[in-house]
Amino acid sequence: MLGLGPHASFIIAAYAVTFVVVAALTAATIADDRKQRRLLADLERRGITRRSAANPRPAAKPTVSRTASEKGSA
């Protein structure tokens, strides 16, 4: 059986379980995405908008004006 040796059934079962789990997680993620999009569309249809859409944040300013190497040379 594909040269898997005496543990072929265990290896195939492990791959099968992994495939089922990954497929279930993918399906759950897609279903949740669709649900969240429907809820968001419903809120927007009722006139409730996102705060971020009303007033976008300004670009962040850097908090460090000089690097450590520049401080040492000053």
Side-chain angles (χ1 to χ4, degrees), residues 21-44:
V21 169
V22 169
L25 288 172
T26 302
T29 301
I30 291 170
D32 185 57
D33 177 61
R34 290 179 180 167
K35 177 184 173 187
Q36 296 302 322
R37 288 180 188 269
R38 279 193 309 269
L39 290 173
L40 181 59
D42 182 48
L43 289 173
E44 288 178 346

